[in-house]
Structures are given as structure tokens and as C-alpha cells.
Amino acid sequence: EMIGVNEFKQSRLYQDIKLEGKLEGKLEVVSPLLSQGFTVEQVAQMLGLTIEQVRQGSQ
């Protein structure tokens, strides 16, 4: 079952990324989030990235 954006923002993974604040750490989770069914827009919103950054991170 896919988790929602709000549930993801409560997750340990999100909190670690938020605290770390590094783009590399954020980009590491782009592909897994997209594979879980989140849209590019949702991933960008969750991680505080631009849509272009999400697209680049998924390659």
C-alpha cells in the first residue's frame, strides 16, 4: 500500500533528509519514491526540490 505525502513527511527517512539538508541525500530517494507511485510533482514537494532536480535525480 502506498503511503501518502503526509505520512511520508512523518517518516524517519524524511526527517533525516530534512535535517541533513544535502541535495545528494535527497536525490538518493527520488527513484525509490517514484517507484512507490509518487508523481514527480509530489516528490519535488516532499523533498523541497524543483521538478527538474527530481527528473535529473531519477536518471
Side-chain angles (χ1 to χ4, degrees), residues 5-58:
V5 172
N6 290 334
E7 289 85 1
F8 176 72
K9 285 188 173 187
Q10 298 300 317
S11 74
R12 175 67 188 222
L13 175 61
Y14 177 81
Q15 296 302 318
D16 287 348
I17 293 167
K18 186 176 173 185
L19 289 174
E20 186 71 21
K22 291 186 177 179
L23 182 59
E24 298 83 30
K26 292 178 182 182
L27 293 179
E28 289 177 11
V29 297
V30 167
S31 290
L33 290 172
L34 292 172
S35 70
Q36 287 292 318
F38 289 104
T39 66
V40 170
E41 292 80 8
Q42 288 173 318
V43 173
Q45 179 184 10
M46 287 188 289
L47 299 178
L49 300 171
T50 66
I51 290 172
E52 184 60 31
Q53 287 172 317
V54 171
R55 288 188 177 134
Q56 289 177 355
S58 67

